[in-house]
Amino acid sequence: MTTLASALPTTPVTGPPARFRDLLASEWIKMRSLRSTPWAIALTALFVIGSSAVATLADNAARSGPADFLPYDAYPPAGYWTLILVASSMGALTVVSEYSSGLIRTTTVAVPARGSVVLAKATVTAALWTAVGTVISTGSFLVSQAVLSGRHAGVPLTHPGVFRALVASALLAPVCALIGLGLGVLLRHSATTMVTSVLTLLMLPPMFSESDRWSADINHAMVSTAWKRLVQSWEPDPGSLGYTATVPGSWIVYALWPLITVALAVLVIRRRDV
């Protein structure tokens, strides 16, 4: 018996390494298996689209007259601040929930390529919230224009400024979700990540005015400020005493925030113990 045991190979038998599409399938299963995910998405969509209907109904200035696009009826800030909060929180939970439960250790043992795990999470998160953001943005526009059509003030999708506002509002959800995910990897604690997300995305921008150049630059580098500029359908007043954001600069802000946070998350998780 001893001779037979000593003759057996001592090297562990390992299977083939996980492919990236396997990681995507695994992260998708994790995400859709959470009961809170569909409920949070459904309630958020209902609230944001409902806020568009309420804002349009309450806009007494839009009763009649020549048809023009009213961006803050279709995309009211109150509803989209809520979308920012929920999307960033849900993005963070995809990571911090694994840290709190200890599942992240099992994941990294099964897949030593930690950076690939983060990229898989980011890909699934971006795809899901892009779909959610598109549904919410389109629904908000259609609901608001249905109300305005009764006042002969509705506009079509081809009206100037509409498509940019729709795309910016749709992309707001995945941008914030990826920021939340990146912060979740960097901070690893639920409460700290949530507070940091709210502070960065919602509370910090109003602290910086546009009256001074340095303050305006910080303000324009924030995601919520970029969204407001992209939704705004009129050009800034050239006689204004404040500095205003530009449309190309706002798109750059949209791109840089998720890219930087996810890149930092990939770099940190490769160098830090879980």
Side-chain angles (χ1 to χ4, degrees):
M1 193 71 178
T2 305
T3 304
L4 178 61
S6 61
L8 294 175
T10 57
T11 56
V13 178
T14 59
R19 295 167 296 183
F20 190 70
R21 65 181 183 181
D22 298 326
L23 298 179
L24 294 177
S26 174
E27 295 302 328
W28 172 242
I29 291 172
K30 291 179 186 178
M31 187 170 293
R32 66 183 177 88
S33 63
L34 294 174
R35 295 181 179 179
S36 59
T37 300
W39 279 104
I41 290 174
L43 291 175
T44 302
L46 183 63
F47 178 83
V48 178
I49 295 174
S51 69
S52 300
V54 171
T56 308
L57 289 169
D59 189 358
N60 296 324
R63 288 181 178 177
S64 60
D68 195 9
F69 177 48
L70 304 174
Y72 296 121
D73 286 351
Y75 305 109
Y80 279 81
W81 292 169
T82 303
L83 180 61
I84 290 174
L85 177 61
V86 174
S88 61
S89 300
M90 295 294 290
L93 283 175
T94 61
V95 176
V96 295
S97 61
E98 292 196 29
Y99 277 107
S100 60
S101 65
L103 181 61
I104 190 66
R105 296 185 182 91
T106 305
T107 301
T108 54
V109 168
V111 185
R114 300 177 183 180
S116 298
V117 173
V118 174
L119 290 177
K121 289 180 181 293
T123 302
V124 173
T125 299
L128 174 64
W129 283 99
T130 299
V132 172
T134 302
V135 170
I136 293 176
S137 179
T138 305
S140 297
F141 175 75
L142 294 178
V143 166
S144 66
Q145 299 314 305
V147 175
L148 290 174
S149 294
R151 306 173 186 174
H152 305 289
V155 297
L157 185 61
T158 55
H159 193 278
V162 171
F163 187 72
R164 187 182 72 197
L166 190 150
V167 172
S169 299
L171 292 179
L172 182 64
V175 166
C176 293
L178 289 175
I179 293 172
L181 185 147
L183 291 175
V185 175
L186 296 174
L187 301 176
R188 297 190 292 184
H189 299 285
S190 300
T192 306
T193 303
M194 301 301 176
V195 171
T196 304
S197 298
V198 172
L199 178 66
T200 303
L201 295 173
L202 292 177
M203 298 179 64
L204 201 57
M207 297 174 60
F208 299 94
S209 67
E210 295 185 343
S211 58
D212 297 316
R213 184 58 183 265
W214 69 269
S215 180
D217 288 341
I218 297 175
N219 182 276
H220 297 161
M222 299 297 166
V223 173
S224 58
T225 305
W227 171 77
K228 289 180 66 176
R229 179 63 187 92
L230 293 171
V231 169
Q232 180 179 312
S233 58
W234 58 87
E235 293 299 323
D237 183 7
S240 174
L241 297 178
Y243 297 93
T244 58
T246 64
V247 171
S250 298
W251 285 122
I252 292 173
V253 170
Y254 256 44
L256 287 182
W257 269 94
L259 284 176
I260 292 174
T261 51
V262 172
L264 286 175
V266 171
L267 180 64
V268 167
I269 202 170
R270 286 176 173 173
R271 299 174 178 269
R272 185 176 63 188
D273 292 334
V274 295

